[in-house]
Amino acid sequence: MTRDEALFQFLLRMGDNTLVLGHRISEWCGHAPVLEEDIALANTALDLIGQTQLWLGLAGEVEGKDRDADRLAFHRDVWDFHNVLLVEMPNGDFGQTLMRQFLFDAWHSIMLGRLQKSADHRVAEIAEKTGKEVAYHLERSADTVVGLGDGTPESHQRMQAALDYLWPYIGEMFASDDIDAEMASAGIAPDPASLREEYDALVTKVLSDATLAIPQSTFSHKGGKAGTHHSEHLGHLLTQMQWLQRAYPDATW
Amino acid sequence: MKNEWPLWEVFIRGQHGMSHRHVGSLHAPDAEMAIKNARDVYTRRNEGVSIWVVEAKNVVASSPSDKGPLYEPSQSKVYRHPTFYDIPDDVGAM
Amino acid sequence: MYAQMIKTAGTSVKSREEMTEDERKFQDRIDADEKIEPKDWMPDDYRATLIRQIGQHAHSEIVGQLPEGNWITRAPTLQRKAILLAKVQDEAGHGLYLYCAAETLGISRDELTEDLLSGKMKYSSIFNYPTLTWADIGAVGWLVDGAAIMNQVPLQRTSYGPYSRAMIRICKEESFHQRQGYDLIRACAEGTPAQRKMAQDALNRFWYPSLMMFGPSDKDSVHSAQSMAWKIKINTNDELRQKFVDQTVPQAEYLGLTVPDPDLKWNEERGHYDFSQPDWKEFFNVIKGNGPCNVDRMTARRKAWDDGKWVRDGLLAHARKKAAAKAAAAA
């Protein structure tokens, strides 16, 4: 594996995370609990779609095979997707959506903070720009998790259920493999394991403000980042997202 | 039974140096969320650099029936306006 | 236009002699193009009519998110997806601004929402038609937003201050909506034969429902006469419909698409297009709840409202606890 091949994979991971999560969040448009939340969720989704264009755009450039961000987003199958499993989990209720958002935002913001010091200036520039957007995502999702966790008995119970359901998908964000090792040795991206301490401190603080109990299990699902074992959910998401491009391959939209 | 989020009035400063201006209202459970909601609702097109929110019930407004006594007296104070004074052209800019 | 068939409260336009002193002063202010503000005196019928009109307009924005939202997850490029999402998000914003304007008249947003969900209040007939293909999203932007703008631009001058200000903000934001729709359907019309077919099919299905948006002819309606005297309605339905047809036909021609009206032709003498009226029986059926999507639309809105209750209650409960703790600490 050359450095550029590893970088390509790394960029797909970043871009697929934002692509898949942005898609998930966009599913809420028109269906949120209150207008203000509907509008706020759409803003988050718009940020994530924009970030996808940057990450996948750079991925295509690094790959050098004439694939742009759209080509990569709409013409790969499940096994070529490299997002973590967490972001492809279904929306569930609003609480599950916001809990997933918070658990991802916390990782995302720490990751982007480190990437701003990347040895690859293109990566650093994207991290710089998107870091500001994600700082706001985190602020908002953390506040909502606290509000709902601490709110009524029903909202508390729903948030605890969401946390219990999503907790086994946290670990994958910190698992390192060959690609991560290559990125770390090149100074392009941090070793994911090195983000864990900061993440745990942040998440513990917010979840305890939310009066939620952190699950004891340390088990974690994996296979999304590597692309080898996605959940069944991703295929359905792609079926919808890619349908027009696949059904009319010769069309320009 | 009524559990509606309170109404907030939103004021936004468009650019540095300008005053905050009333732009509209929204609902939010508390002041912190009102600020965030204002950011999401009223600055989608890069409209602001600073936000104020005030819960609508705390806004004290003048009464429409007082319009005459409140505002008409100032109409006669024409000497407060620069155009009231005739300054000869020869004096230069003033 | 998003407010259709608004029944004006009261029975007829009063002559000056029939008016009370307050009513005369009120009408004089309107005739002098003064804005009426929330705390000003206003006739009960003016207030009631405005609540109906602004409320229906707001409901239309919110229900209007659904047919377009139907395609957000299937948008064919990242850019189209972002544009569509931003556009549908704007509709939510417009609903929000309008609900706030209605709230200045003494009704709450929750009450208005309940009235929509109970069927007591209506929304525009247009949103009961389905979006079946991607080109429909173009047709909605081009035709539906185009028709809405016809109505909304003059409403910026409406007599009620908060409504007028909401319309000014909405018009400013809407200016990209129609353009993105035309741009989208143009890409289809200039694309492959399959895309072209999609574009023509979208025009075929959305043409007459778009004409219905202006409502049936109201040149003899007393309701419209009163609303026009109050300047909460600026043009007659027929005027706006004609203007829409005159503007839209050349746009369709540019795309090489055929307006589905064999009797459509330019009338040199009138300086306008002659065109066929939509099927008003169908319109009244849709208004009554028998459009292709009425049930689905209301089910979706009710579900969002019911499923969201625990969230609204939860965040409010947390805010109250926080405020109580703060008060206790200060005491």
Side-chain angles (χ1 to χ4, degrees):
Chain A
M1 184 175 50
T2 67
R3 177 154 299 171
D4 267 358
E5 280 163 3
L7 177 57
F8 173 63
Q9 291 293 318
F10 170 76
L11 293 167
L12 288 181
R13 291 173 178 186
M14 293 303 291
D16 289 346
N17 279 340
T18 54
L19 173 62
V20 171
L21 188 60
H23 183 97
R24 279 283 185 242
I25 300 293
S26 78
E27 293 172 11
W28 273 100
C29 188
H31 304 276
V34 65
L35 277 174
E36 285 80 0
E37 291 293 344
D38 206 296
I39 293 168
L41 278 178
N43 276 340
T44 303
L46 284 169
D47 286 344
L48 292 170
I49 295 167
Q51 295 175 11
T52 304
Q53 289 174 306
L54 297 175
W55 290 122
L56 293 187
L58 181 54
E61 210 178 297
V62 168
E63 187 195 34
K65 289 186 184 162
D66 218 22
R67 292 202 284 182
D68 61 10
D70 280 333
R71 190 78 208 165
L72 288 167
F74 295 95
H75 291 274
R76 281 177 299 150
D77 208 337
V78 169
W79 53 78
D80 284 327
F81 267 75
H82 295 281
N83 56 282
V84 291
L85 295 172
L86 177 68
V87 296
E88 68 193 51
M89 289 298 111
N91 283 341
D93 64 10
F94 184 80
Q96 188 173 311
T97 295
L98 263 291
M99 182 60 81
R100 183 187 62 201
Q101 190 67 35
F102 166 67
L103 294 171
F104 179 75
D105 288 344
W107 173 85
H108 202 195
S109 74
I110 298 167
M111 182 66 166
L112 291 173
R114 304 282 178 90
L115 289 180
Q116 286 173 21
K117 296 175 215 101
S118 172
D120 187 316
H121 71 94
R122 298 166 301 181
V123 171
E125 273 167 28
I126 296 177
E128 174 78 31
K129 181 184 182 299
T130 60
K132 286 176 198 141
E133 296 171 349
V134 171
Y136 181 75
H137 299 174
L138 175 62
E139 212 185 297
R140 189 158 182 120
S141 63
D143 274 6
T144 312
V145 164
V146 170
L148 291 174
D150 177 57
T152 60
E154 181 181 2
S155 72
H156 176 86
Q157 173 262 317
R158 283 175 181 267
M159 294 313 279
Q160 186 65 55
L163 179 59
D164 293 347
Y165 172 67
L166 294 170
W167 194 252
Y169 297 96
I170 303 303
E172 191 188 7
M173 296 190 285
F174 307 97
S176 308
D177 62 11
D178 290 353
I179 291 162
D180 294 309
E182 177 65 25
M183 289 295 97
S185 79
I188 294 176
D191 173 7
S194 71
L195 310 179
R196 186 77 203 231
E197 200 181 329
E198 197 179 338
Y199 182 86
D200 283 344
L202 174 60
V203 166
T204 304
K205 164 87 175 70
V206 170
L207 293 178
S208 90
D209 286 351
T211 72
L212 296 172
I214 295 177
Q216 293 302 308
S217 166
T218 53
F219 172 77
S220 83
H221 293 288
K222 56 181 189 300
K225 235 171 99 164
T228 50
H229 285 93
H230 279 285
S231 69
E232 288 181 346
H233 305 297
L234 184 62
H236 290 283
L237 186 152
L238 296 185
T239 305
Q240 224 176 62
M241 185 173 86
Q242 300 180 334
W243 177 71
L244 268 177
Q245 285 278 1
R246 304 289 193 134
Y248 302 93
D250 52 346
T252 305
W253 304 97
Chain B
M1 156 69 212
K2 279 274 158 267
N3 246 355
E4 186 158 7
W5 289 0
L7 187 67
W8 301 77
E9 299 300 334
V10 180
F11 301 81
I12 290 187
R13 185 164 72 206
Q15 3 168 331
H16 290 291
M18 303 291 282
S19 306
H20 285 75
R21 219 180 111 227
H22 183 242
V23 294
S25 339
L26 50 75
H27 288 268
D30 60 22
E32 288 78 20
M33 284 310 292
I35 292 270
K36 288 201 171 68
N37 288 348
R39 180 264 187 199
D40 280 306
V41 172
Y42 287 105
T43 67
R44 301 200 302 284
R45 286 173 171 78
N46 199 18
E47 292 101 330
V49 296
S50 168
I51 299 173
W52 288 349
V53 293
V54 183
E55 197 173 341
K57 69 173 187 200
N58 292 329
V59 172
V60 183
S62 63
S63 156
S65 61
D66 285 344
K67 224 176 189 167
L70 284 179
Y71 312 113
E72 277 168 28
S74 69
Q75 285 171 9
S76 57
K77 315 288 192 294
V78 287
Y79 47 80
R80 283 189 185 275
H81 298 278
T83 46
F84 177 74
Y85 305 93
D86 256 340
I87 303 291
D89 287 347
D90 297 344
V91 177
M94 184 177 285
Chain C
M1 104 189 36
Y2 291 170
Q4 287 165 324
M5 311 263 308
I6 300 297
K7 246 181 103 153
T8 306
T11 46
S12 64
V13 186
K14 286 186 185 170
S15 68
R16 274 194 89 76
E17 292 70 43
E18 292 169 304
M19 288 181 188
T20 65
E21 176 66 20
D22 279 339
E23 286 171 341
R24 258 196 302 275
K25 270 197 209 148
F26 177 80
Q27 191 61 51
D28 287 344
R29 290 187 61 197
I30 290 188
D31 293 343
D33 279 331
E34 273 185 44
K35 294 282 181 238
I36 308 301
E37 294 297 337
K39 290 186 145 200
D40 294 348
W41 184 89
M42 62 186 83
D44 291 344
D45 290 345
Y46 176 83
R47 183 186 299 274
T49 307
L50 266 178
I51 289 176
R52 268 182 223 162
Q53 179 170 334
I54 301 174
Q56 189 185 111
H57 194 159
H59 296 327
S60 298
E61 298 281 358
I62 302 310
V63 178
Q65 287 185 273
L66 300 171
E68 288 179 282
N70 182 37
W71 278 89
I72 290 172
T73 55
R74 290 179 287 173
T77 69
L78 292 168
Q79 176 151 313
R80 290 281 181 207
K81 193 192 191 71
I83 291 170
L84 180 58
L85 179 55
K87 199 231 161 194
V88 181
Q89 181 199 41
D90 275 351
E91 312 295 359
H94 298 171
L96 188 150
Y97 309 154
L98 287 161
Y99 283 126
C100 289
E103 282 180 276
T104 62
L105 292 159
I107 187 162
S108 75
R109 189 166 89 189
D110 280 6
E111 287 173 299
L112 287 164
T113 304
E114 299 287 356
D115 283 348
L116 169 69
L117 297 180
S118 73
K120 193 176 145 198
M121 289 183 84
K122 303 281 182 216
Y123 55 91
S124 176
S125 56
I126 190 71
F127 302 117
N128 292 311
Y129 290 88
T131 51
L132 302 178
T133 72
W134 174 247
D136 285 8
I137 299 307
V140 170
W142 170 35
L143 302 174
V144 175
D145 287 274
I149 290 165
M150 288 282 153
N151 178 47
Q152 291 175 173
V153 166
L155 273 178
Q156 294 178 99
R157 291 182 282 116
T158 189
S159 62
Y160 188 56
Y163 191 24
S164 154
R165 290 190 283 275
M167 291 318 307
I168 289 169
R169 194 173 183 93
I170 288 171
C171 285
K172 208 167 100 194
E173 296 187 350
E174 283 247 325
S175 52
F176 97 84
H177 292 185
Q178 192 186 11
R179 281 163 169 252
Q180 68 82 32
Y182 194 71
D183 183 67
L184 191 167
I185 203 165
R186 188 178 156 203
C188 293
E190 293 172 356
T192 63
Q195 284 176 293
R196 209 174 159 69
K197 190 176 155 201
M198 235 182 243
Q200 181 63 54
D201 175 60
L203 176 58
N204 291 349
R205 280 181 291 106
F206 276 94
W207 175 255
Y208 286 109
S210 300
L211 296 187
M212 290 178 198
M213 287 175 69
F214 300 95
S217 178
D218 61 350
K219 58 184 192 302
D220 305 318
S221 156
V222 288
H223 297 299
S224 293
Q226 177 61 80
S227 288
M228 288 174 97
W230 280 333
K231 292 189 188 161
I232 57 181
K233 183 178 170 76
I234 311 290
N235 306 92
T236 68
N237 296 347
D238 291 321
E239 279 167 12
L240 292 171
R241 188 169 14 249
Q242 181 71 60
K243 206 171 159 204
F244 173 74
V245 171
D246 290 348
Q247 180 189 287
T248 309
V249 170
Q251 295 168 350
E253 280 167 359
Y254 179 87
L255 297 175
L257 299 179
T258 310
V259 173
D261 178 358
D263 296 326
L264 180 83
K265 67 169 190 297
W266 179 252
N267 183 325
E268 195 63 53
E269 204 177 308
R270 291 203 306 126
H272 292 291
Y273 281 95
D274 292 336
F275 60 95
S276 305
Q277 288 291 311
D279 177 356
W280 291 112
K281 265 211 318 259
E282 175 182 318
F283 171 78
F284 285 110
N285 247 320
V286 174
I287 290 279
K288 262 190 273 173
N290 296 324
C293 300
N294 294 58
V295 175
D296 290 343
R297 300 292 184 242
M298 290 313 289
T299 304
R301 283 316 308 157
R302 202 168 290 120
K303 183 172 175 357
W305 184 243
D306 292 346
D307 289 357
K309 185 176 180 344
W310 73 268
V311 177
R312 296 188 301 273
D313 290 351
L315 291 176
L316 187 64
H318 170 69
R320 283 178 179 158
K321 281 189 212 177
K322 227 169 48 174
K326 210 170 149 189

